[in-house]
Every structure is written in C-alpha cells, then in structure tokens.
Amino acid sequence: MTEIVRGAEWVLCRERGPGVPEGIYGAECMSCEARSPLFDDDELPVAVWSIQHTAEFPEHTLFLARTERHWRVVPRPHDPAPAQPPDGGGVLGPAFVGLMCLLTALSGLLPALNY
C-alpha cells in the first residue's frame, strides 16, 4: 500500500491487490442528469459515452469526469527510535547551513559594492 496521509495513530493508504482497480472512471452531463456507466481501469469508454451523448444532444457539451480509487485506513506502524548522529555531528550540520546562508546573503551584496 502506498501511504497518502500519516496521522498520529492511523495511516491512509491506497488499496492495492487482486481485484482492486487502479481507477474507476465515470462522467456526468452538466446539462442534464445523464451519467455514464462506471469502468474499471479504462477511461476511454467514458470519453466515447460523452461524445455520443453530445451527438444525441448537441447543446450538452460540458461533463464532470470522475476518477475514484479505493483507500484504506490502517494503524500506523511504530517507527524505530530515530538514529542519533555520531558524536560531534550535531554541530557541523547547523554550522554549515548557517555559513552557507551567510555566504549567499553576502554574494547578493557584492554587486552593490561595485557602484
């Protein structure tokens, strides 16, 4: 399952597996209440339905296309304890980032010094 949203105790995932379509496609006419049948994993029949509907009703040219997917909420797996940086590694990272920020700011001032 591919993770979509991770909460405090739960994770929302796309459901995958045998018999689960990647997408379920359908459309409805915005001029009337007509709706296409739903199709698993194939949006082409929905496109054909839309064109045929417009051929029958030429003023009906706007459709709401939908794609549906199956989601599942599962308990969040407990993460192992976060890895600790090696001794002395905790200072070098922030110091390097700070130095790079300072150099970036100064490089923006260098052209101003030429005037």
Side-chain angles (χ1 to χ4, degrees):
M1 288 186 261
T2 303
E3 186 176 296
I4 297 174
V5 175
R6 186 179 251 191
E9 296 296 325
W10 301 96
V11 179
L12 177 67
C13 304
R14 285 188 60 185
E15 180 69 14
R16 298 180 188 252
V20 179
E22 283 291 316
I24 303 166
Y25 300 96
E28 63 183 274
C29 178
M30 298 301 290
S31 299
C32 68
E33 295 183 12
R35 290 183 177 193
S36 74
L38 298 177
F39 295 91
D40 290 353
D41 295 325
D42 190 2
E43 61 185 316
L44 182 60
V46 178
V48 171
W49 177 87
S50 300
I51 290 171
Q52 289 174 342
H53 185 77
T54 299
E56 189 174 342
F57 304 98
E59 66 279 1
H60 297 198
T61 58
L62 184 61
F63 298 88
L64 176 61
R66 292 198 168 121
T67 302
E68 299 175 7
R69 292 189 169 92
H70 293 272
W71 287 358
R72 180 179 301 272
V73 176
V74 297
R76 180 178 178 169
H78 294 287
D79 296 330
Q84 298 296 324
D87 292 336
V91 176
L92 184 57
F96 178 75
V97 171
L99 180 61
M100 291 308 294
C101 289
L102 181 61
L103 290 174
T104 301
L106 289 174
S107 68
L109 295 175
L110 288 178
L113 295 176
N114 291 332
Y115 293 105

